[in-house]
Amino acid sequence: MDPNIASALAEMDKINVSRLEHPGPSALEPASCRFLAAFIRATGARKVLEFGSGFSSLMIARELDGEEGNYLLSIDTSARYSGLAREGVESSESRAKAEFRVAPLRPRFYGMRLLLSYRLPKGLLEALGPFDLVLIDPPHHEYGCESVLYDAFPALAPGGYVILDDANREESEKKYLRSWQAGYGDAIRPVFLEGIGNGLVVIEKLDEAGPAPLPAADSLLVSLQTLRSAGRSLFRREE
Ligand SMILES: C[S@@+](CC[C@H](N)C(=O)[O-])C[C@H]1O[C@@H](n2cnc3c(N)ncnc32)[C@H](O)[C@@H]1O
């Protein structure tokens, strides 16, 4: 097994996740928080990008604290939860440099696939990277996840890692992972940790290559699902 993953698995139980602080099911599961923190320690990650601001932002900021050149860029669709996550980090004892951005999801074509994608200035992630670690934990209801790797991959350092949360879900994250594997092939090495929280996949970036043309077979269905999700999000009030 990857030595960083093995080390994080061996050490994660030593990480404290306060039940008083943890906000409950909306946030990264406590076990996943422990793994995340232990993984940052194991890899020595200094620059972290996350999609889905919240309690995980605080866990990351605490680990980055005190590291020279540390930086967290946290992106969320919700101004409210982005603000709460920022307040949580700023009022903590962490001295990590953390930046919070709000970016709505909008449909965008990736090859023949219409996917929901975070609306960010072109080239922003590459300009602020390269990142050592990307955490993908976006809102459960918006299906914005497949595009995230396509957007974040160029900003991820070679040898860097992606952690995908909720990896046990058949109809979403497992499907995204299959598309990513089809597109990136040997340029990524995913390791499935189904027993941690709601399941995590840790993906190591081995090569800059990719993605190859994305699978066309299910593009129509995926694109229709994207249009449905985009339509629903128009009627969902800001949480
Ligand atoms: C799956 S949650 C996880 C967010 C974050 N990674 C965490 O650990 O809290 C995804 C979304 O929930 C929203 N959120 C964040 N904190 C929240 C809270 N305390 N209660 C409800 N929703 C929250 C944010 O808009 C975020 O994108």
Side-chain angles (χ1 to χ4, degrees), residues 56-150:
S56 55
S57 316
L58 183 58
M59 293 297 301
I60 295 167
R62 283 179 173 156
E63 289 305 317
L64 295 181
D65 187 31
E67 292 287 341
E68 182 73 21
N70 65 23
Y71 177 55
L72 165 64
L73 174 61
S74 181
I75 295 165
D76 203 276
T77 54
S78 158
R80 176 174 175 213
Y81 288 117
S82 176
L84 285 174
R86 192 187 63 245
E87 278 171 29
V89 170
E90 286 176 357
S91 61
S92 76
E93 71 290 358
S94 168
R95 287 163 293 124
K97 182 178 174 203
E99 189 181 347
F100 291 84
R101 288 214 176 211
V102 178
L105 293 172
R106 52 105 169 82
R108 190 188 136 194
F109 274 104
Y110 293 78
M112 293 171 69
R113 295 162 96 73
L114 187 66
L115 300 173
L116 284 182
S117 165
Y118 286 85
R119 191 190 296 155
L120 291 166
K122 200 168 167 15
L124 178 87
L125 300 181
E126 290 89 328
L128 295 176
F131 293 93
D132 305 309
L133 176 65
V134 178
L135 173 65
I136 306 180
D137 186 24
H140 289 159
H141 49 71
E142 301 201 47
Y143 310 98
C145 219
E146 185 181 338
S147 68
V148 173
L149 190 70
Y150 306 139

Side-chain angles (χ1 to χ4, degrees), residues 152-229:
F153 197 79
L156 182 64
Y161 292 89
V162 173
I163 297 179
L164 171 69
D165 188 35
D166 297 314
N168 291 343
R169 297 194 305 176
E170 289 292 338
E171 289 310 310
S172 42
E173 277 73 3
K174 282 194 177 176
K175 278 191 184 171
Y176 308 148
L177 182 60
R178 282 195 290 275
S179 295
W180 296 343
Q181 286 181 291
Y184 290 98
D186 292 342
I188 59 172
R189 181 164 47 212
V191 174
F192 208 149
L193 304 171
E194 70 179 329
I196 299 184
N198 298 322
L200 298 176
V201 175
V202 180
I203 302 170
E204 186 180 3
K205 175 174 176 172
L206 302 175
D207 201 310
E208 288 291 352
L214 296 169
D218 61 346
S219 290
L220 181 60
L221 183 61
V222 167
S223 301
L224 289 172
Q225 286 169 342
T226 296
L227 287 175
R228 188 184 59 180
S229 301

